[in-house]
Amino acid sequence: MTQDTSKAAEIWDALASHDRPSLQTLFDKDANRVDRLSETLALPGGDILFDWSKTHLDDDTIARFEQLCDAMDFNAARQLMLTGGIANPTEGRAAEHTAQRGMGADASVEEAEALHDRMRLLVEAIHEGALGDIRHLIHIGIGGSALGPALAVDALARPTAEFRARIDVHVVSNIDGNALEAAFEACDPAHTMIAVASKTFTTIETMTNAASAVQWLEESGVADAHGRVVALTASPEKAVEWGIDETRVLPFSESVGGRYSLWSSIGFPVAMALGYDGFAAMLAGAAAIDTHFANESGAANLPLRAAFADLLYTQVRGCQTRAVFAYDERLDLFPDYLQQLEMESNGKSVTANGEPLARPSAPITWGGTGTDAQHAVFQLLHQGTFEVPVDFIAAKEAGHDLDEAHHRILLTNCFAQGAALMAGADADDGARRYPGNRPSATILCDAVSPGTLGALIAFHEHRTFSAAALLGINPFDQFGVELGKRIANEIERGEGGNFDPSTKALLRAAGLSG
């Protein structure tokens, strides 16, 4: 890649000095603004409308960001990632999550297809009773090994969903034993399998929970407890050493990062809950977004357009957070999923070359669910002193069989909040005044289906990558999570001890040191 950082700096300066018209002014000046800044993609499982018209993007800022793409050689960065090049330079690795969906180096795509087929055969065998009468699955992982499966199962395996749960899946990530005990209480050990998801098969939280789960099966009278365990890992030899037969080890490639691993064998609990066809439909939805992302340029590329807006708010308008509100109970875990995807990927302070980053990186991602959030945090969004760009995510079709008034009220609240944030309202009493001119984007799905969920996740993956490419940072490493884990492991082994007085006092108070 050839990056012109001097040219990029000039473009950032031009963006910073650009006029800042209000949202209302932008609409008043352009009768076609909605048509130009919203687009519907026809996708497997239902269409999705992406409306970025209530953001402060205009023709001039979009043109500047497209110039920034040229200066930062965005097309080359995108090509590098999508073809299996070294997109993660600090670790010398490719980032091959798209290969899991059919786009990447030929050998990697072939390997992914073979590993998917291996997973499909095991899932179908379990569903057909080859391993006994299995009714429950406790999926143990943490981070990307848990957040993606939890989101997908919660969103799609509901009583009224097209893919009703074939297996009752419980995702456990927390090392706190209360989380694992709650799963034990919900499952009959005689009919339960355990999935252990760990890229390295050494993650202390996951392996501790896994050992306790096996112990629970043994103490409950299961004769071959390890025979009920499936491993999902990039280190299959360690899983076999741990006691899992290789026929129940589902590998995935080392080049698939944890927070991007849902598409690999980490998706096993999704296939168990929905059937393999449901998991395949998620892959198809994500693959459709991959194709769009690979083929479209500039603002016509919807993930890239979203990144333009994200960077406008963080780099130019000084926003430090971005809020995501899912106006659909099935997507209540989506903000949690995005927190890891966006902040672990782009929460960096150096460039991909190891130089200090001279500008802000990722904002803090936060959010909530529907009208619950309105009654909790929207006071700050409407009348607080911070500008917070908001994403609203909703679906046209309800996920329940109750009176249609439920869904109508849900959607009208969603659209009303975006309108209110933009328009505001004047009042003689300052406490009742809404300043308005507060940005939002809306993503409206036809339905919450495996295809649309896969597309939503892939859209945000590429949005995150695009922001990183324009900032010149590496979104595929995560060294920031290592230091605290290392210190915790040292404490657990009785090592270290060269701590500040506060930490020493806390360890003594908790009975963790003499």
Side-chain angles (χ1 to χ4, degrees):
M1 294 188 299
T2 303
Q3 297 178 342
D4 188 341
T5 54
S6 296
K7 181 63 175 178
E10 292 175 5
I11 295 168
W12 284 120
D13 288 343
L15 283 164
S17 61
H18 181 62
D19 291 340
R20 298 189 182 186
S22 69
L23 291 170
Q24 188 60 58
T25 299
L26 291 172
F27 276 93
D28 290 343
K29 288 184 175 180
D30 184 0
N32 296 316
R33 181 172 176 81
V34 174
D35 291 336
R36 290 194 309 103
L37 287 175
S38 65
E39 184 172 341
T40 299
L41 294 183
L43 300 164
D47 296 353
I48 302 180
L49 168 66
F50 299 87
D51 181 3
W52 255 248
S53 63
K54 288 198 284 290
T55 70
H56 289 88
L57 289 175
D58 62 16
D59 288 345
D60 289 340
T61 56
I62 288 173
R64 295 290 187 185
F65 277 117
E66 289 177 341
Q67 293 169 8
L68 184 64
C69 287
D70 292 337
M72 296 302 290
D73 209 357
F74 173 80
N75 288 344
R78 175 179 59 181
Q79 181 73 1
L80 188 72
M81 181 190 70
L82 294 178
T83 57
I86 303 300
N88 178 357
T90 55
E91 297 180 290
R93 294 176 184 167
E96 295 193 292
H97 46 287
T98 61
Q100 303 295 308
R101 303 168 328 217
M103 182 175 291
D106 290 344
S108 298
V109 171
E110 291 175 6
E111 179 188 47
E113 291 173 348
L115 293 177
H116 282 150
D117 195 50
R118 178 186 175 114
M119 181 171 82
R120 177 184 60 80
L121 292 172
L122 180 58
V123 168
E124 290 176 352
I126 295 170
H127 285 160
E128 291 167 2
L131 299 182
D133 181 12
I134 302 300
R135 305 172 190 173
H136 313 282
L137 173 69
I138 299 177
H139 175 85
I140 297 172
I142 199 166
S145 297
L147 287 167
L151 165 63
V153 170
D154 187 54
L156 302 172
R158 289 178 176 250
T160 57
E162 176 185 356
F163 292 90
R164 295 169 183 251
R166 299 185 61 170
I167 298 288
D168 174 38
V169 175
H170 299 265
V171 178
V172 177
S173 58
N174 200 336
I175 189 62
D176 186 338
N178 289 293
L180 194 57
E181 279 194 339
F184 293 164
E185 286 294 321
C187 298
D188 180 349
H191 303 284
T192 299
M193 289 198 71
I194 309 295
V196 182
S198 173
K199 186 172 183 177
T200 62
F201 229 70
T202 60
T203 309
I204 188 169
E205 300 97 329
T206 298
M207 302 317 298
T208 302
N209 278 335
S212 293
V214 169
Q215 181 181 355
W216 170 70
L217 290 176
E218 291 172 340
E219 292 176 349
S220 301
V222 175
D224 179 13
H226 280 87
R228 294 282 193 85
V229 182
V230 174
L232 321 172
T233 182
S235 303
E237 68 289 343
K238 288 190 173 67
V240 172
E241 290 172 7
W242 197 78
I244 302 172
D245 188 88
E246 63 179 354
T247 60
R248 284 175 282 100
V249 176
L250 298 177
F252 61 93
S253 172
E254 181 70 27
S255 60
V256 177
R259 56 191 172 278
Y260 301 92
S261 62
L262 174 62
W263 319 104
S264 70
S265 63
I266 296 297
F268 172 76
V270 182
M272 285 287 286
L274 307 182
Y276 190 82
D277 287 349
F279 176 69
M282 281 190 65
L283 293 175
I289 293 293
D290 293 340
T291 299
H292 169 86
F293 180 68
N295 293 336
E296 297 294 337
S297 299
N301 186 313
L302 297 185
L304 181 58
R305 180 191 298 178
F308 289 172
D310 295 341
L311 292 171
L312 176 66
Y313 289 114
T314 56
Q315 308 301 315
V316 179
R317 298 178 69 94
C319 299
Q320 296 185 355
T321 79
R322 186 175 82 82
V324 181
F325 297 101
Y327 274 70
D328 196 298
E329 186 69 19
R330 294 165 292 181
L331 298 176
D332 65 332
L333 295 180
F334 201 65
D336 292 351
Y337 182 85
L338 292 184
Q339 283 184 326
Q340 186 198 22
L341 174 63
E342 297 180 2
M343 293 196 288
E344 191 169 84
S345 294
N346 289 353
K348 309 293 170 60
S349 58
V350 297
T351 68
N353 296 326
E355 300 295 326
L357 184 64
R359 56 183 56 259
S361 55
I364 296 166
T365 305
W366 62 284
T369 310
T371 54
D372 286 356
Q374 289 178 203
H375 290 267
V377 299
F378 274 47
Q379 166 66 39
L380 181 147
L381 297 177
H382 284 288
Q383 291 186 312
T385 56
F386 294 98
E387 181 176 65
V388 181
V390 174
D391 281 5
F392 296 104
I393 304 175
K396 294 180 186 178
E397 294 182 11
H400 56 78
D401 296 325
L402 300 181
D403 191 302
E404 61 88 24
H406 286 271
H407 200 60
R408 185 183 68 248
I409 294 169
L410 180 69
L411 290 182
T412 54
N413 270 273
C414 176
F415 304 145
Q417 290 299 324
L421 285 166
M422 173 180 153
D426 203 2
D428 294 335
D429 178 359
R432 291 174 171 79
R433 179 179 175 274
Y434 297 78
N437 193 35
R438 304 204 165 185
S440 67
T442 300
I443 299 174
L444 180 62
C445 306
D446 276 357
V448 176
S449 69
T452 55
L453 181 61
L456 280 175
I457 295 172
F459 171 86
H460 284 87
E461 288 176 349
H462 294 316
R463 174 184 187 171
T464 301
F465 168 81
S466 297
L470 296 184
L471 290 172
I473 61 178
N474 178 6
F476 300 119
D477 64 12
Q478 57 280 330
F479 295 109
V481 306
E482 297 299 327
L483 179 58
K485 291 197 298 184
R486 187 171 75 235
I487 293 173
N489 289 337
E490 289 172 356
I491 294 171
E492 180 68 14
R493 294 193 300 265
E495 300 172 1
N498 187 25
F499 301 122
D500 60 88
S502 172
T503 301
K504 290 179 180 178
L506 289 168
L507 289 168
R508 287 194 300 271
L512 297 176
S513 69

